[in-house]
Amino acid sequence: MGADRFDEVWDGVLHMVPGPGDRHALIEGQLPRLLGPAADRAGLLLSGQFNIGRPEDYRVPDGGLHRFGNWGTYAPTAALVVEIVSPGDETWEKLPFFADCGVDEVLIVDSTTRQVHWLALRDGSYEPVQRSRLIDVGPTELAERIDWPAADAG
């Protein structure tokens, strides 16, 4: 039925995640238009949700940029993963996993606070950056271009 398509497995433990609410979905719909041209110029492939990791330990980011396609069911890594914060989700707890997978950058969009966090991997952990090292976009510019959903949206 597809009800489990957002679920993740963290070291063999199932994490059940509901589908996105209104704010999340509305932002998720905008990001390909906002990131796509810069990704194209950088020669990166843009995707929606995908599995990163392996069958017994994987996460499902809201989107990503990739250096290659054809990874099968589980991508071993990504150039960038996109996470859109939903109330009560585990976005920030995923950072060590993404670092272990060698993900270069993590883009976190928080619809509640209307903030964009752009993080780059350095010495095994993520630190905030003012501009992506992969594509010609930064968090301030992206935040200004997002049509933020109303506060009363889901």
Side-chain angles (χ1 to χ4, degrees):
M1 293 177 50
D4 63 345
R5 70 185 197 125
F6 299 103
D7 293 348
E8 300 175 336
V9 176
W10 295 33
D11 260 340
V13 177
L14 178 65
H15 286 237
M16 296 176 66
V17 181
D22 292 356
R23 284 189 301 234
H24 182 129
L26 293 170
I27 289 171
E28 187 173 358
Q30 295 178 57
L31 291 179
R33 176 177 47 81
L34 298 174
L35 298 175
D40 290 345
R41 286 190 298 275
L44 296 170
L45 304 170
L46 176 70
S47 79
Q49 297 160 356
F50 67 101
N51 301 307
I52 184 169
R54 54 192 191 286
E56 64 280 353
D57 196 15
Y58 67 92
R59 309 298 180 270
V60 184
D62 295 303
L65 298 179
H66 308 272
R67 291 186 177 88
F68 58 89
N70 303 320
W71 56 74
T73 303
Y74 300 92
T77 191
L80 175 139
V81 296
V82 176
E83 287 283 346
I84 302 167
V85 177
S86 290
D89 79 6
E90 299 172 295
T91 292
W92 293 96
E93 288 83 2
K94 296 179 186 182
L95 294 179
F97 178 83
F98 292 146
D100 287 346
C101 289
V103 174
D104 297 310
E105 295 184 359
V106 177
L107 169 60
I108 300 174
V109 180
D110 190 328
S111 65
T112 303
T113 63
R114 296 183 174 200
Q115 290 183 306
V116 173
H117 305 273
W118 212 298
L119 309 171
L121 187 62
R122 183 173 179 197
D123 298 326
S125 62
Y126 291 100
E127 61 184 32
V129 294
Q130 294 306 308
R131 197 118 193 115
S132 171
R133 298 173 187 156
L134 300 168
I135 62 175
D136 190 23
V137 180
T140 303
E141 174 188 351
L142 183 59
E144 290 170 354
R145 294 181 65 206
I146 292 173
D147 182 12
W148 296 99
D152 60 350

